[in-house]
Amino acid sequence: MKHTSHFMGLLLLPAGVLVLAFFALPMVKLIVTGASGEEGLAAYWSILTVERHREALIATLLLSALVTLVALIISTIVGVFLVRNRFPGSQILVSLLTFPLAFPGVVIGFLIIMLAGRQGLIGMVSQTLTGSKLVFAYSMTGLFLGYLYFSIPRVILTVMAAAEKLDVSLEEAARSLGASQWRVITDVLLPALKPGLIASGAICFATSVGAFGTAFTLATNIDVLAMTIYTEFTLGANLASAASLSVVLGLITWAALSIARSLSGSNVAAAG
Amino acid sequence: MQRRTYFYAALMLTLVTVGFLVVPVVMSVMAGLTKNFFVGLKSGLTLEWVFRVWELYQDTIWRSMGIALACLAITLIAGVPAAYGLALSKSRWARIFEETLILPVAVPGLAIALALIQTYGGFREFRMSWAFILVGHVLYTLPFMVRSVLAVLSSIPLNEYEEAAASLGANKRRRFFDIVVPNAMPGIMAGSLMVVTLSIGEFNLSWMLHTPLTKTLPVGLADSYASMRLEVASAYTLVFFIMIVPLLIAMQKFGQTGTARKPTQH
Amino acid sequence: MNSTSSQNTRINLRRCAKTFGNTQVLKPVTLDIQAGETVVLLGPSGCGKTTLLRIISGLEAPDHGSAILFNDEDVTSRPIEKRQVGMVFQSYALFPNMTVRQNVGYGLTTGQGDERLTKADRDTRIETMLKMMRIQDLADRSIDQLSGGQRQRVALARAIAPRPKVLLLDEPLTALDATLRDDLRMEINALLRDLGITAIYVTHDQSEAMALGDRIVVMSEGTIEQIGTPEEIYHQPNNMFVATFIGATNALSGHWGHKGFVPRGMEVPVAALRMAAQGGNLMCFRPEDVDLIEDGDQASGALKGIARTIAFVGSCHRVIVELPGNQTVTLESAWCHPPHPGDPVLFKIQENGVLPVWSNEA
């Protein structure tokens, strides 16, 4: 069906206006503002030169990488397990594992407090057992758990989708050739899951880098990039610095997601 | 023998993971319904905290619902035609447009919020109204609507249906409403659920964009986590769960038919 | 079938051409289609037949200077939804969001043409269509519950329900399996005769073209090679392309001497000069246009070869014969005693069997 460009323009107009006026234009303004401080364009280097910023960047990247790694390991095992083993209740487990998918970061922060906060479960259990209260919700460990919390459901879904498409006969062939369980996993299973793992790993990484709500709930003194930006903006009222840092933050998440998209070749969209 | 070991090890890990995700939720729900969480269940169950939340925060609940519905309306009006246009065109410009449209999802909410405040913060009326938050939500959710509808439209021979309808005398308008929209319905439904779910739970943008008079539910939640006793915070979280869980269930149903994309936001 | 016959429409195409980018996929075509006639556009894929059909339908705009006339009215600039054409697509393109009944009735609700139908009129028309295509029982089914053959019937019913000026069919049987295809082909044939509607049918299948067409338009590489009745196309092909595309053709290489055609590796002419349009270095004949010489009688102008492959094809035997000079031909005939591989075969090309085509291909 041939359509005139006039008609196409009409279809794309509302979305186009929205994105142009409320995204493209403000983002350009943000980039310009980032360079409007005393240091000018050099503000964009402050993330490396200013010690506080550099440390926040390193902490953010390390934390996100670690979360990604652990989430991938846990989700791969659990996801493949649930696809391969159907037992009474396994469907419920799948539902329970994927439900937290749309919980906002603030709520997840609160759930971590329930788990490891001052009145949390772990604290109570440790107090009864050892007499001393174990509290780590308000530290990097708590943040790690929080990021893990929102990463696991997403990665599990990707792994399960990929595992369902796996050709079981490949594994049977490997086994018939004498491969051990371990060799089957490393030679057949993981290579087949690889594209999905890379894609969801990148999403997981990008989401962790950009996450704000969880850190915000847990504590204001954990130095991850998102918190640094927030502090610069509200307490320091340093608009240029906040702007340049968020541009860098945006570039990191965008790059991670671009890699994910080019590797998986399709629909991945995430962050927040 | 070895296989059994693997099975039980994996099962254990699965159960631990489920526990990690579910136990805090259960605790939170319990805390919201218990007279004194520190004392425990023996202090008795109560709806007192829920009522307190209703008293203190019901405006945030209504506002979040209102914003979610307004957001849905806008993403439908802007997103469905855009997805249709993108499905029709194979040109390079269309792909660039699609990329730009999706971009707000790839950029942290914090950055978008800062950009919006800088550009439009000067318009006081706008800045002070809930429409300011709505704009952020629309930007963030529009890609999900477009993607969801586009995925469905790209999976059907849309062009042939349209040609057939045209050969039967249907003009553009009729084709859009008789053919395109009904056949895109699974995508529109999945996209709508996602938009509403994401909007209700959106925090990053909302926190930056809100004013004391335009608090949304998650903003209120963060507020209560910081300043209220644990029972109230839990009861408030419970209210949030009650709002969001039906949406999540519906989304899982759609997810099984394979059209929904997974939402994300933290 | 008065209730469904439409006014007969005469279609004239005047220098219709189509250029995509830099390639002219359809060279200027001029074609006159009589009212009520079924014309088949036949050719290999990429020959421009579908493009021509889409130009007639209004789905594609032809190049500047082209003109399409429906009953002398110029419709060139009219979009498809205003042309009143019924179209049947290769993939059926039935609307999955509608039932069979809604699909069939859709064209009655769009207000095309001059007709204004009441709800009752529409229902009657739909019932007639369903009955005619014998799909009443399927009326309230959804499309994904239908088999391929049933879908085809629904597609036909939907296309003719609004009484279009012309019915355009784009390879409507390609997606079906062989037996179903034969049945539906006969049904479509009967339907087109009953309706008396002007129809244009695109196919790459020559047997479909032969069975359905009042006239066949053979196309290749964007041009019309020949227009004619199936008999004309088969017996008097204009050129080598038509001869080889329609039906099986043997092409013997050799040379035309003053007494007739002498195949390579032979000395005696096997076809008299007067029989053919002579020229070039090939002589073509159909596998069935031969007389067998089974009694061993050496007649003048006979060819002798060795049987290589023998296949029984129902009505006759098909034998591949190797001739001197390393040439092979295929013969179809009712042998009393079919040869075995290696047996000698003696045959003569029938007097009218030589096709009037020639080529200088080696």
Side-chain angles (χ1 to χ4, degrees):
Chain A
M1 204 71 232
K2 286 281 176 295
H3 290 282
T4 58
S5 50
H6 173 76
F7 179 64
M8 287 293 287
L10 214 62
L11 289 175
L12 300 179
L13 187 70
V17 167
L18 279 174
V19 170
L20 196 69
F22 294 116
F23 181 71
L25 188 69
M27 282 318 273
V28 171
K29 187 104 195 285
L30 187 73
I31 292 169
V32 173
T33 312
S36 71
E38 289 162 23
E39 318 120 285
L41 261 180
Y44 283 103
W45 289 112
S46 82
I47 196 159
L48 295 176
T49 54
V50 176
E51 200 189 344
R52 205 161 36 83
H53 294 175
R54 189 176 59 230
E55 276 169 8
L57 176 70
I58 292 170
T60 308
L61 294 181
L62 282 180
L63 176 68
S64 304
L66 190 64
V67 165
T68 306
L69 185 69
V70 175
L72 282 178
I73 293 171
I74 293 177
S75 309
T76 306
I77 298 171
V78 173
V80 173
F81 172 76
L82 285 173
V83 169
R84 289 295 160 79
N85 299 284
R86 297 287 149 124
F87 46 87
S90 67
Q91 206 46 51
I92 296 174
L93 290 185
V94 174
S95 295
L96 290 175
L97 283 168
T98 51
F99 257 106
L101 207 58
F103 289 2
V106 251
V107 171
I108 289 169
F110 182 66
L111 294 178
I112 295 302
I113 292 176
M114 293 307 292
L115 204 61
R118 275 180 282 277
Q119 289 166 304
L121 180 71
I122 292 175
M124 285 193 255
V125 172
S126 65
Q127 192 160 38
T128 16
L129 291 180
T130 65
S132 75
K133 205 173 194 175
L134 196 59
V135 173
F136 52 81
Y138 317 98
S139 66
M140 265 306 178
T141 318
L143 205 54
F144 170 77
L145 282 184
Y147 287 9
L148 205 55
Y149 194 102
F150 64 63
S151 298
I152 286 176
R154 192 164 320 137
V155 187
I156 281 185
L157 272 179
T158 321
V159 171
M160 287 185 65
E164 257 153 27
K165 284 189 212 129
L166 280 187
D167 187 355
V168 181
S169 64
L170 282 181
E171 281 175 57
E172 290 167 350
R175 209 164 283 147
S176 76
L177 294 167
S180 66
Q181 182 99 7
W182 181 249
R183 287 289 301 274
V184 171
I185 291 172
T186 55
D187 296 349
V188 180
L189 196 60
L190 287 181
L193 293 177
K194 202 170 130 198
L197 291 181
I198 292 176
S200 57
I203 296 172
C204 184
F205 182 78
T207 315
S208 301
V209 168
F212 169 63
T214 313
F216 180 82
T217 313
L218 288 178
T220 35
N221 57 2
I222 302 179
D223 266 326
V224 286
L225 212 46
M227 289 308 289
T228 311
I229 295 171
Y230 181 68
T231 321
E232 290 285 332
F233 177 67
T234 50
L235 301 179
N238 190 344
L239 205 57
S241 175
S244 66
L245 286 178
S246 33
V247 169
V248 174
L249 187 69
L251 279 177
I252 297 174
T253 55
W254 174 78
L257 288 171
S258 300
I259 293 168
R261 272 156 57 80
S262 64
L263 288 177
S264 74
S266 68
N267 294 334
V268 278
Chain B
M1 206 56 237
Q2 198 192 15
R3 300 206 54 162
R4 293 258 61 133
T5 322
Y6 278 119
F7 177 86
Y8 285 113
L11 180 63
M12 271 312 291
L13 183 67
T14 306
L15 292 177
V16 168
T17 311
V18 171
F20 169 56
L21 298 180
V22 171
V23 167
V25 176
V26 175
M27 286 179 67
S28 160
V29 170
M30 290 314 295
L33 298 172
T34 311
K35 277 209 176 101
N36 186 328
F37 185 63
F38 199 64
V39 176
L41 269 180
K42 55 182 175 291
S43 67
L45 292 174
T46 177
L47 282 177
E48 183 192 341
W49 310 121
V50 178
F51 290 132
R52 176 81 66 83
V53 165
W54 190 249
E55 235 167 75
L56 288 172
Y57 293 110
Q58 62 161 305
D59 65 312
T60 68
I61 296 166
W62 294 124
R63 193 172 295 112
S64 271
M65 282 176 160
I67 290 179
L69 290 180
C71 186
L72 175 61
I74 295 176
T75 50
L76 281 175
I77 292 168
V80 176
Y84 174 47
L86 291 172
L88 288 177
S89 174
K90 277 156 194 64
S91 79
R92 203 162 52 88
W93 287 111
R95 296 288 79 83
I96 293 173
F97 184 83
E98 189 184 344
E99 284 306 309
T100 320
L101 209 62
I102 304 299
L103 210 52
V105 184
V107 177
L110 213 52
I112 298 177
L114 276 180
L116 279 173
I117 291 172
Q118 275 190 37
T119 315
Y120 297 104
F123 301 88
R124 267 193 67 78
E125 288 287 300
F126 181 40
R127 174 74 183 90
M128 300 308 283
S129 75
W130 57 273
F132 202 50
I133 299 175
L134 177 63
V135 163
H137 285 203
V138 167
L139 277 187
Y140 176 59
T141 55
L142 186 60
F144 291 93
M145 178 64 85
V146 173
R147 282 246 150 153
S148 184
V149 178
L150 184 55
V152 172
L153 289 181
S154 318
S155 69
I156 58 171
L158 180 67
N159 202 35
E160 279 175 24
Y161 293 157
E162 269 211 78
E163 290 185 350
S167 76
L168 293 164
N171 59 24
K172 280 193 178 73
R173 229 183 78 87
R174 288 287 306 264
R175 296 199 299 260
F176 183 73
F177 287 107
D178 293 348
I179 309 298
V180 179
V181 170
N183 284 302
M185 210 32 110
I188 295 176
M189 286 305 295
S192 300
L193 280 168
M194 210 171 301
V195 164
V196 171
T197 312
L198 288 177
S199 171
I200 288 181
E202 208 295 324
F203 173 75
N204 296 1
L205 285 158
S206 313
W207 181 259
M208 303 292 285
L209 301 179
H210 85 276
T211 69
L213 294 176
T214 58
K215 282 184 187 168
T216 62
L217 205 164
V219 170
L221 275 175
D223 203 73
S224 75
Y225 295 158
S227 60
M228 290 288 157
R229 56 182 295 173
L230 192 69
E231 288 84 351
V232 176
S234 291
Y236 199 1
T237 310
L238 176 63
V239 171
F240 172 73
F241 284 151
I242 290 170
M243 284 176 69
I244 207 124
V245 163
L247 292 167
L248 288 175
I249 292 175
M251 215 144 69
Q252 277 204 346
K253 288 257 182 298
F254 268 96
Q256 277 155 12
T257 56
T259 47
R261 287 309 312 175
K262 313 308 177 231
T264 57
Q265 188 226 16
H266 294 285
Chain C
M1 292 254 177
N2 284 329
S3 63
T4 52
S5 68
S6 49
Q7 74 270 43
N8 284 341
T9 306
R10 192 169 62 254
I11 296 176
N12 307 92
L13 306 180
R14 297 274 168 268
R15 298 191 57 76
C16 278
K18 181 70 186 174
T19 309
F20 287 118
N22 294 322
T23 25
Q24 196 173 37
V25 294
L26 188 67
K27 309 278 173 357
V29 160
T30 295
L31 179 63
D32 298 311
I33 297 168
Q34 305 306 316
E37 187 184 26
T38 300
V39 166
V40 177
L41 306 181
L42 174 67
S45 70
C47 70
K49 57 188 191 299
T50 298
T51 305
L52 185 54
L53 188 81
R54 289 171 68 88
I55 286 174
I56 299 168
S57 74
L59 283 170
E60 300 281 357
D63 291 351
H64 190 72
S66 313
I68 303 148
L69 311 174
F70 283 9
N71 276 346
D72 297 328
E73 184 190 357
D74 191 332
V75 297
T76 317
S77 57
R78 216 182 265 182
I80 179 168
E81 60 260 35
K82 301 225 169 68
R83 265 191 211 186
Q84 288 181 269
V85 292
M87 218 170 161
V88 178
F89 294 80
Q90 184 172 349
S91 58
Y92 320 128
L94 297 174
F95 308 132
N97 56 312
M98 301 180 193
T99 62
V100 167
R101 186 191 303 277
Q102 288 167 327
N103 263 283
V104 173
Y106 187 72
L108 306 176
T109 65
T110 54
Q112 66 172 347
D114 324 311
E115 280 185 289
R116 285 282 170 271
L117 295 175
T118 64
K119 173 90 172 66
D121 289 344
R122 286 206 299 269
D123 289 345
T124 323
R125 183 86 69 88
I126 294 169
E127 285 311 318
T128 316
M129 286 299 140
L130 294 173
K131 203 180 286 173
M132 187 162 93
M133 295 312 297
R134 292 186 278 119
I135 46 176
Q136 306 102 298
D137 298 343
L138 309 174
D140 297 306
R141 295 246 186 114
S142 75
I143 298 308
D144 53 16
Q145 291 172 298
L146 304 183
S147 70
Q150 291 168 335
R151 282 174 201 217
Q152 188 52 266
R153 290 164 190 278
V154 177
L156 273 164
R158 183 179 71 175
I160 53 183
R163 295 185 186 162
K165 290 186 169 159
V166 52
L167 185 61
L168 307 172
L169 305 104
D170 186 6
E171 308 236 10
L173 300 178
T174 308
L176 300 172
D177 59 53
T179 19
L180 203 53
R181 196 153 56 210
D182 290 344
D183 291 348
L184 262 164
R185 186 173 68 197
M186 292 205 279
E187 246 181 274
I188 291 179
N189 201 0
L191 181 74
L192 293 178
R193 310 293 146 201
D194 279 353
L195 295 176
I197 188 176
T198 312
I200 303 173
Y201 188 108
V202 162
T203 183
H204 64 273
D205 181 334
Q206 42 131 338
S207 55
E208 235 169 86
M210 298 283 209
L212 286 168
D214 292 324
R215 281 191 302 160
I216 297 176
V217 177
V218 185
M219 297 179 68
S220 108
E221 292 174 2
T223 52
I224 292 181
E225 299 285 352
Q226 187 170 359
I227 304 173
T229 64
E231 291 78 8
E232 285 166 355
I233 299 276
Y234 191 78
H235 292 301
Q236 275 114 44
N238 264 356
N239 54 39
M240 204 57 197
F241 175 82
V242 178
T244 49
F245 192 73
I246 315 283
T249 302
N250 288 307
L252 275 181
S253 49
H255 66 273
W256 288 93
H258 44 263
K259 279 187 176 163
F261 186 79
V262 183
R264 193 173 69 217
M266 293 177 73
E267 283 104 49
V268 213
V270 294
L273 204 52
R274 61 180 170 79
M275 295 195 323
Q278 59 277 50
N281 49 15
L282 281 179
M283 195 222 16
C284 298
F285 62 98
R286 303 281 185 199
E288 68 274 16
D289 288 342
V290 292
D291 291 322
L292 296 175
I293 305 167
E294 286 194 84
D295 50 11
D297 212 20
Q298 278 282 6
S300 73
L303 288 102
K304 191 177 176 185
I306 309 288
R308 287 296 172 211
T309 313
I310 296 98
F312 179 59
V313 291
S315 52
C316 63
H317 280 84
R318 181 179 296 149
V319 179
I320 296 176
V321 175
E322 188 179 324
L323 296 175
N326 209 13
Q327 305 204 67
T328 56
V329 291
T330 304
L331 309 182
E332 280 176 10
S333 192
W335 263 275
C336 304
H337 305 288
H340 296 284
D343 287 354
V345 174
L346 209 60
F347 65 96
K348 224 179 148 173
I349 298 161
Q350 286 172 6
E351 273 212 26
N352 296 321
V354 176
L355 297 176
V357 294
W358 57 87
S359 159
N360 284 316
E361 287 164 38

